[in-house]
Amino acid sequence: MLGVEVLFPTSANWYSSHVADALPDGTVVVATNQVLTVLAATVRQVTSILPLRSRVTGVAISEDILGACCADRVVHAFRLKSLETFGTHKEHHAEPSAMVNVKGLIITGDKRGALCLWTPGAATKSVERMVPQKEAVISLAASACSTRLAVGYHSGTVALVSLESHRFYCFRLRAAVQALSWLPSSNGLVTACQDQSVQLWRLQSNAAEEEAIAECQIAPAAGSRDESKSWTSVCALSDALVLFSGSRGELFCWEESRQKPSRAAPIHTRPIFGMKAVGSDHVLTTGMDRFIVLWSVASGSPPQMKWRFCSLGGHVTALRVDANIACIGCGDNSLRVMDLMHREHRQHCWVAWKGLRTAVTSLAPAGTGVWGYGLQDGSFGVVAVNSSEGPGPAEPLCSRSHPAPVTSVCWLRFADMAEAVTADAPKADDDQTEARGSKKGKTKKEDKKGSSDDCRNLIQGLALISLSAGHKVFVTPVKGTTTTLQLQPLAGVAASPRAAVVWPLGKPSKGEEILVVAAMHKAGEATVESNSFQLFQLEGREELRCVAVVPAFRMQADGLDGGAQAMSLLGPKLGLWA
């Protein structure tokens, strides 16, 4: 068990039905980029993380054997409890795209149609190869009795392979077979195709061969919808209960005794890729929305979410904690907002993406439920965060943008809150106009503007200081015009900003705050670089005046030999880290 209180794994991989697998005891393994993440469903925690050298394209567990196949064509086997290497092979000539684990027999299929059957730890290390069809394998499923293997191909072909005699029988569907699931009785197979059709097939045997006959259509094809990026997953919990997904992350439950499938409450907002049974009455799903969800399934009612686990999308680009709120910017142009005081905070998290055009590079809390942000494209703005309702949409503060990614944002108080409210109060004529206009009602455009104004009302009297390293420092009052802060030269050499932080020396309402900007001074390639800290103080209502320029060479004795790339405040009486 990992010794951490809160851990966010990377996002589960996409466009594969083999990105997750589970055991009846609640052990779950998820393929997350180049990592195998092991979770315990009973305690909702990540227990182990196993890094690999390439992107994981499939995982499968059975008893104490954990199998994984990767994009570099290597198939791995590990001991599940210790995660020690149990063996590897590289017999695939193309990237493996599907995997099952049949009681220690690891079967993988690749994009050229080859199937590799391998028993790690056996006396003979040879890998047996089969090629029923020379086309890309998308999905695999082994029957409950472990004697038959179903193979789904990109062309819509389904191959039923006997693991004892290696004979196979094929039948054809209309679209790529993205997921397969055997009924527990082993004489039925459920197929899910790219056209979003889900069908139940009954297998009948005669003296000559085995034949699949369509028994019923659980979900019809979508018709004219764009199928290029759609994905349909399926999981059969019993002979009369089948779960399948829709194009937008919907989870449906089909029961033989009911005419129409029931639909679960909307939890996933994007397509579901992984869908695996955890015991006989739970199902685990992973989706494009980066959520890992455990569902409780009972006959006669739609699936109920038992817990939801949030994962990260891409690398972390910004991280800030204020009071009980943690905000994490990710490389997928989203923001994770987490309430650390929530009773189920290990998996309780909101994902904000509306208004964020690029990745978040810097964050700054205003202390009023509003956070300032800076983006990779140079823009900046605010987002309201509520501990009970989560984050709202991101709102830009102005139309100006930095010429480079924003590397630092912080808040500076320009006026006392009471003064700001008085200054921004509407006049009598405006009140009468507003009263007359309220009778006519508000349009959607006005409602949207009103929500933005509500966010700004929480931070009246503040200004957002935003900085792009080596370029400019913008000062943007919440109610005012954005200006550029003029840095002071050092020994006649112009200053280039590197980082900024606000240092409260007294009462912020009385203007007793100092803006500290770390700057670099270098005239050209032939000159020696010098650095400084420049201190600015508010003078008047909206004017910042430089009160001191401290050369960095004075601090070299204390260990500051180069320019500051980032700064953090320890406290008003303790000082500054740079």
Side-chain angles (χ1 to χ4, degrees):
M1 182 85 59
L2 292 175
V4 295
E5 184 178 2
V6 181
L7 191 148
F8 288 104
T10 53
S11 170
N13 295 341
W14 297 349
Y15 295 104
S16 171
S17 60
H18 299 274
V19 295
D21 203 358
L23 292 178
D25 63 358
T27 302
V28 175
V29 180
V30 182
T32 55
N33 199 5
Q34 300 180 13
V35 171
L36 294 178
T37 301
V38 184
L39 298 95
T42 54
V43 294
R44 296 170 289 183
Q45 280 187 313
V46 176
T47 58
S48 304
I49 293 179
L50 180 63
L52 298 176
R53 294 185 177 181
S54 182
R55 185 177 185 271
V56 183
T57 57
V59 295
I61 52 179
S62 176
E63 299 175 349
D64 190 39
I65 302 297
L66 165 61
C69 55
C70 300
D72 58 1
R73 297 185 288 113
V74 179
V75 180
H76 302 266
F78 302 94
R79 291 291 188 186
L80 182 58
K81 295 182 179 179
S82 62
L83 296 184
E84 296 177 353
T85 301
F86 194 45
T88 60
H89 81 77
K90 198 175 181 179
E91 296 298 323
H92 282 286
H93 301 158
E95 177 183 314
S97 50
M99 165 179 273
V100 292
N101 192 335
V102 185
K103 297 181 179 180
L105 173 65
I106 295 179
I107 305 174
T108 49
D110 61 33
K111 292 186 175 181
R112 292 185 181 177
L115 301 177
C116 289
L117 288 72
W118 173 49
T119 304
T124 57
K125 296 185 179 180
S126 60
V127 177
E128 189 172 0
R129 289 174 57 89
M130 293 177 59
V131 188
Q133 297 286 318
K134 292 184 178 180
E135 52 181 315
V137 176
I138 298 181
S139 55
L140 294 172
S143 62
C145 60
S146 304
T147 59
R148 286 182 291 191
L149 178 74
V151 187
Y153 294 92
H154 188 271
S155 66
T157 301
V158 177
L160 302 177
V161 182
S162 171
L163 295 178
E164 297 173 344
S165 64
H166 290 187
R167 296 181 60 184
F168 60 89
Y169 161 74
C170 296
F171 62 96
R172 187 71 178 268
L173 302 179
R174 295 184 177 181
V177 184
Q178 294 176 331
L180 296 162
S181 183
W182 288 90
L183 299 183
S185 62
S186 298
N187 68 335
L189 177 68
V190 185
T191 60
C193 297
Q194 190 175 21
D195 61 1
Q196 300 173 39
S197 64
V198 180
Q199 289 180 280
L200 173 60
W201 302 80
R202 294 289 180 180
L203 308 183
Q204 296 184 357
S205 301
N206 52 39
E209 61 181 7
E210 191 171 49
E211 184 180 4
I213 300 175
E215 180 175 285
C216 70
Q217 184 169 275
I218 296 175
S224 59
R225 289 182 60 89
D226 182 19
E227 301 173 359
S228 59
K229 295 184 178 181
S230 65
W231 196 272
T232 307
S233 299
V234 68
C235 178
L237 284 182
S238 68
D239 289 0
L241 195 151
V242 176
L243 273 68
F244 63 97
S245 64
S247 60
R248 298 179 180 177
E250 307 96 330
L251 184 63
F252 298 95
C253 180
W254 173 84
E255 295 185 64
E256 191 175 23
S257 59
R258 292 174 174 263
Q259 294 182 351
K260 294 179 63 176
S262 60
R263 178 177 173 177
I267 302 297
H268 286 289
T269 59
R270 310 283 296 275
I272 294 174
F273 295 110
M275 186 182 296
K276 293 294 178 180
V278 184
S280 59
D281 54 0
H282 288 85
V283 167
L284 183 93
T285 58
T286 65
M288 187 182 280
D289 57 5
R290 285 133 179 132
F291 282 117
I292 302 171
V293 184
L294 183 68
W295 304 82
S296 176
V297 184
S299 179
S301 61
Q304 301 292 324
M305 184 189 77
K306 193 168 184 180
W307 55 254
R308 182 176 67 174
F309 203 97
C310 183
S311 57
L312 301 179
H315 58 285
V316 175
T317 56
L319 173 61
R320 189 75 182 268
V321 178
D322 178 64
N324 63 316
I325 296 294
C327 289
I328 307 172
C330 297
D332 62 348
N333 305 345
S334 68
L335 187 68
R336 267 58 172 180
V337 179
M338 176 178 168
D339 183 3
L340 299 175
M341 300 300 292
H342 196 278
R343 62 184 179 87
E344 296 179 348
H345 63 264
R346 286 184 178 89
Q347 73 280 351
H348 185 80
C349 188
W350 295 283
V351 180
W353 55 270
K354 292 183 179 180
L356 300 175
R357 297 176 296 180
T358 55
V360 177
T361 54
S362 52
L363 292 163
T368 57
V370 178
W371 287 63
Y373 66 84
L375 301 182
Q376 193 171 16
D377 63 359
S379 60
F380 52 92
V382 294
V383 57
V385 176
N386 188 299
S387 59
S388 60
E389 299 178 1
E395 300 284 351
L397 274 180
C398 72
S399 58
R400 294 187 66 178
S401 296
H402 288 274
V406 178
T407 57
S408 180
V409 290
C410 55
W411 291 99
L412 181 67
R413 186 169 296 280
F414 263 33
D416 184 60
M417 184 66 71
E419 296 177 2
V421 171
T422 303
D424 294 328
K427 298 179 181 180
D429 294 342
D430 295 336
D431 289 341
Q432 295 174 2
T433 304
E434 184 178 352
R436 290 193 299 267
S438 62
K439 297 179 181 179
K440 299 180 181 179
K442 295 182 179 180
T443 63
K444 291 183 179 180
K445 199 170 186 179
E446 290 170 342
D447 288 339
K448 186 177 180 181
K449 184 178 179 181
S451 63
S452 175
D453 290 340
D454 291 341
C455 178
R456 295 176 185 236
N457 288 337
L458 296 173
I459 48 176
Q460 290 188 57
L462 298 180
L464 184 66
I465 311 298
S466 57
L467 180 151
S468 56
H471 295 278
K472 299 178 180 179
V473 180
F474 284 166
V475 180
T476 307
V478 175
K479 302 275 183 158
T481 305
T482 299
T483 59
T484 303
L485 188 67
Q486 300 299 323
L487 301 181
Q488 301 300 311
L490 182 66
V493 181
S496 175
R498 310 300 297 177
V501 70
V502 172
W503 195 349
L505 300 180
K507 294 183 178 179
S509 60
K510 296 183 178 181
E512 297 177 357
E513 286 184 322
I514 297 292
L515 173 64
V516 184
V517 179
M520 181 183 70
H521 304 264
K522 190 174 183 181
E525 295 295 333
T527 60
V528 178
E529 174 188 316
S530 60
N531 302 279
S532 69
F533 288 97
Q534 306 202 8
L535 280 62
F536 291 84
Q537 195 168 17
L538 186 65
E539 188 176 82
R541 186 173 178 84
E542 294 185 357
E543 182 180 353
L544 285 171
R545 181 176 63 89
C546 184
V547 295
V549 177
V550 183
F553 64 82
R554 295 183 185 176
M555 305 180 185
Q556 287 184 2
D558 296 329
L560 185 61
D561 298 329
Q565 300 296 323
M567 296 188 293
S568 180
L569 184 66
L570 289 178
K573 297 181 180 180
L574 295 178
L576 203 65
W577 277 103

